[in-house]
Amino acid sequence: FNVRKNTATGETLVYLTNLTGCMTRPIRKVCKHFNIKMETPLELEAARSIFAGNEIKIEKCGKGSVLTVPELDEFEVIALKTK
């Protein structure tokens, strides 16, 4: 994954790349992942997946947040809006 701040919108962008597949190389078909949990120390107001266009479920965890990304195919960008 890679993380960067979008200075135009103020959102934090998390880039997720799925590199799983069959044991053959090069990878021809990626295995989808479901319900990926990500913990962050950020207090989040909202989260959404850019490519899938879904709102992401957020749970408060202490002073931070836990996100549940419903599905990761090949690539996704998660936009995080902090409080």
Side-chain angles (χ1 to χ4, degrees):
F1 70 93
N2 186 18
V3 179
R4 76 172 191 87
K5 185 82 164 187
N6 183 336
T7 55
T9 65
E11 294 176 318
T12 300
L13 302 175
V14 180
Y15 295 80
L16 302 174
T17 305
N18 184 354
L19 298 176
T20 61
C22 298
M23 294 307 294
T24 59
R25 296 294 183 257
I27 296 173
R28 299 194 190 288
K29 184 175 181 183
V30 173
C31 297
K32 287 185 183 183
H33 286 279
F34 300 94
N35 299 317
I36 301 166
K37 294 210 179 271
M38 298 171 33
E39 188 172 341
T40 176
L42 301 173
E43 222 179 308
L44 298 177
E45 183 177 309
R48 62 188 170 84
S49 57
I50 303 284
F51 288 105
N54 299 324
E55 292 298 315
I56 302 291
K57 180 181 170 187
I58 301 170
E59 298 174 49
K60 188 168 173 62
C61 180
K63 292 185 178 182
S65 304
V66 174
L67 312 169
T68 302
V69 180
E71 183 177 322
L72 175 61
D73 197 2
E74 293 177 7
F75 182 76
E76 186 60 81
V77 179
I78 308 298
L80 308 176
K81 185 175 179 183
T82 55
K83 290 186 178 180

